[in-house]
Amino acid sequence: MTSILGHNYIGGQRSAQGDTWLHSLDASTGEPLPHRFSQATEAQVDAAARAASAAFPIYRNLSAATRADFLDAIADELDALGDDFVATVCRETALPAGRIQGERGRTSGQMRLFAKVLRRGDFYGARIDHALPERQPLPRPDLRQYRIGVGPVAVFGASNFPLAFSTAGGDTASALAAGCPVVFKAHSGHMATAEWVADAILRAAERTGMPAGVFNMIYGGGVGEWLVKHPAIQAVGFTGSLKGGNALCRMAAERAQPIPVFAEMSSINPVILLPDALQARGTTIARELSGSVTLGCGQFCTNPGLILGLRSPAFSAFIEQFAAHMADQPAQTMLNAGTLASYRKGLEHLHGHSGIRHLAGAVQTGTQAQPQLFQADVSLLLNGDELLQEEVFGPATLVIEVEDQTQLSAAIQALRGQLTATLIGEPDELRTYGWLSELLLEKVGRVLLNGYPTGVEVCDAMVHGGPYPATSDARGTSVGTLAIDRFLRPVCFQNYPGELLPAALQDANPLGIPRLVNGEHSR
């Protein structure tokens, strides 16, 4: 890897103008790693945004096949990163090598998936309504519509997925697929990892002849406001805290030209346990659910943070078994000291609430996160206690017992927006409780039956989004091919001669893409 210590990426080049240095830290020890990075200045943020703006008209007008080649090249570069890279990520995040290798495969895989989207052409959303000159009382003009990239996109790296939701993650992949250059703000928890991945993207850009400025990266605290407020930036992708996402949304809304912010922020992902399932396999559910809560030290945005069950001897037995499994789960190292501090603070709030009882978990001390289980009275949820709706990012969850179906319905209606909701039940009772699905559709982006939410498949049908505060815009997703929609906008051509039309809208359909022609699907 080319040595670029202490440099920002500006316009596809590297700049060493910063004079404030940032250190990447070892997640296990808190000690500085042998990497230094320069804090970006406002001038450097401006240069990055301007470089992306200059690249946009060139990059947007490249063929979809050429952009697909670029994404495939990024995937190849990511797959080629070796053991030194994996070791760097492990040291920065305390995640095991197997997790990093798997996440690298997911990251390169989603690049290739968006390359496939570009080659098949449905992302254009091409629609053609031919002229009707004889129509009475007025003729219809020739109208043709397709979608283009919105412009340069600011992407903020997430802490919990240093690869799949970071430098070359889903927001970057979908923005680049849409024809939008990216200005990426590296997460402070894994800056050395970001450097490796940014190098891979730049190598792919050079190898495929992309315009300078198609990808830019900046480091440092306080640069997000400069980036979001820069007039060249036309959309924002963010994964992080509710506080951070709301702040970015306010900044974007207050611009002279407001822009959309697609922020994934907070979700407690309720799990609803139905009586027959607990009667039939409560012991298994207790074991599996404890594994889901503590998977990856609970540092997943789909972590089950709330468990609801109907009052019954089976639910009481489940709680006892679940508490025993949670007590047996080992402590784990979190991504960084800041994440552990936030986890401690969240636990303090739960311990300090008079209506919440601690059921299992060792006292939270030291440098590792202890799994925790709490129980709350359903009245807290029904009366709007916000603490029950707040995500505690880590290996903790809370159980609530409801009296009957009426109270279960009220509890679900009291929930705020979520990424996921899970129903665990036997086949017959899932049909009996079919009304639950109707309620949950109004609250979440993904409903699961007899599974656990801590796993997000990257594919065409996936939705990783949901009503506020899960995301700032429930119409989008940050995982799956529909993520490209966030960074596209429709444009209509009226009475254009064929030779001036983009290839996607020409009568001969030279791209061979699916289109809606006079109301009929056609190729």
Side-chain angles (χ1 to χ4, degrees), residues 114 117 122-125 147-150 174-175 177-178 260 262 475-477 480-490:
F114 279 107
V117 169
D122 53 327
F123 76 95
Y124 284 116
R147 302 192 299 173
I148 64 171
V150 297
S174 54
F262 300 98
R475 295 168 297 177
T477 175
T481 59
L482 197 65
I484 195 174
D485 285 8
R486 299 172 298 165
F487 306 124
L488 294 168
R489 66 178 181 87

Side-chain angles (χ1 to χ4, degrees), residues 267-292:
S267 182
I268 56 174
N269 307 296
V271 176
I272 301 164
L273 306 177
L274 298 180
D276 290 352
L278 289 178
Q279 186 69 42
R281 47 194 169 96
T283 301
T284 299
I285 293 169
R287 184 186 70 253
E288 292 175 344
L289 189 52
S290 67
S292 180

Side-chain angles (χ1 to χ4, degrees), residues 25-391:
L25 302 179
D26 187 305
S28 296
T29 67
E31 296 297 319
L33 291 169
H35 298 275
R36 295 196 308 167
F37 305 89
S38 58
Q39 163 79 32
T41 65
E42 187 171 6
Q44 289 175 324
V45 174
D46 176 67
R50 287 180 181 275
S53 182
F56 175 55
I58 304 170
Y59 185 61
R60 176 176 71 78
N61 284 303
L62 295 176
S63 70
T66 301
R67 295 204 304 270
D69 290 343
F70 175 37
L71 299 187
D72 280 338
I74 295 173
D76 292 341
E77 292 286 351
L78 293 175
D79 286 342
L81 296 175
D83 293 342
D84 288 348
F85 166 71
V86 174
T88 297
V89 187
C90 291
R91 290 186 67 186
E92 280 196 306
T93 64
L95 296 173
R99 155 73 188 271
I100 299 306
Q101 290 161 348
E103 193 177 328
R104 177 180 57 188
R106 169 178 169 169
T107 307
S108 62
Q110 63 192 7
M111 282 288 177
R112 293 191 176 96
L113 180 61
F114 279 107
K116 181 179 178 182
V117 169
L118 291 177
R119 292 189 176 103
R120 75 189 185 204
D122 53 327
F123 76 95
Y124 284 116
R127 297 175 173 221
I128 298 173
D129 287 303
H130 288 117
L132 298 175
E134 306 302 324
R135 191 184 66 175
Q136 294 297 327
L138 293 172
R140 183 176 78 186
D142 187 90
L143 296 164
R144 303 178 187 226
Q145 176 198 124
Y146 82 150
R147 302 192 299 173
I148 64 171
V150 297
V153 174
V155 173
F156 289 74
S159 64
N160 57 337
F161 282 85
L163 302 182
F165 278 81
S166 197
T167 317
D171 287 347
T172 295
S174 54
L176 291 176
C180 302
V182 168
V183 182
F184 179 77
K185 196 278 183 186
H187 193 278
S188 59
H190 45 256
M191 293 185 291
T193 299
E195 177 189 61
W196 278 86
V197 177
D199 258 352
I201 295 173
L202 293 181
R203 286 195 298 271
E206 183 176 2
R207 181 153 60 91
T208 55
M210 293 299 108
V214 71
F215 178 83
N216 311 269
M217 187 167 75
I218 55 176
Y219 301 97
V223 303
E225 182 173 0
W226 296 333
L227 186 56
V228 172
K229 289 183 175 180
H230 197 286
I233 298 301
Q234 296 300 301
V236 177
F238 171 84
T239 300
S241 69
L242 180 60
K243 179 181 178 181
N246 280 339
L248 295 181
C249 289
R250 285 194 297 271
M251 293 175 200
E254 291 168 359
R255 288 176 29 145
Q257 176 219 358
I259 59 172
V261 175
F262 300 98
E264 180 198 322
M265 298 178 292
S266 178
S267 182
I268 56 174
N269 307 296
V271 176
I272 301 164
L273 306 177
L274 298 180
D276 290 352
L278 289 178
Q279 186 69 42
R281 47 194 169 96
T283 301
T284 299
I285 293 169
R287 184 186 70 253
E288 292 175 344
L289 189 52
S290 67
S292 180
V293 170
T294 58
L295 182 67
C297 201
Q299 298 169 118
F300 292 96
C301 40
T302 53
N303 197 52
L306 179 66
I307 298 159
L308 295 165
L310 290 154
R311 178 170 295 170
S312 68
F315 188 57
S316 298
F318 161 80
I319 293 175
E320 184 176 339
Q321 295 164 348
F322 187 47
H325 282 295
M326 288 294 292
D328 286 342
Q329 297 293 324
Q332 300 179 60
T333 301
M334 300 197 84
L335 291 158
N336 50 59
T339 305
L340 179 61
S342 296
Y343 181 59
R344 282 201 187 105
K345 186 176 181 180
L347 295 181
E348 289 171 2
H349 290 160
L350 292 172
H351 280 294
H353 196 297
S354 60
I356 297 176
R357 183 163 59 102
H358 183 245
L359 297 185
V363 175
Q364 181 56 54
T365 58
T367 59
Q368 290 190 309
Q370 297 283 351
Q372 307 289 342
L373 175 62
F374 297 85
Q375 184 170 12
D377 190 271
V378 67
S379 62
L380 299 179
L381 183 60
L382 298 178
N383 293 331
D385 192 311
E386 291 192 1
L387 186 59
L388 270 67
Q389 305 267 14
E390 292 178 5
E391 178 185 23

Side-chain angles (χ1 to χ4, degrees), residues 451-473:
Y452 300 97
T454 40
V456 182
E457 186 70 28
V458 182
C459 62
D460 290 323
M462 176 53 63
V463 172
H464 191 62
Y468 182 87
T471 60
S472 59
D473 191 330

Side-chain angles (χ1 to χ4, degrees), residues 384-416:
D385 192 311
E386 291 192 1
L387 186 59
L388 270 67
Q389 305 267 14
E390 292 178 5
E391 178 185 23
V392 177
F393 192 66
T397 194
L398 187 147
V399 296
I400 289 179
E401 183 179 73
V402 300
E403 288 281 355
D404 50 30
Q405 293 188 34
T406 300
Q407 199 171 67
L408 176 60
S409 173
I412 291 172
Q413 292 180 69
L415 289 171
R416 299 191 300 194

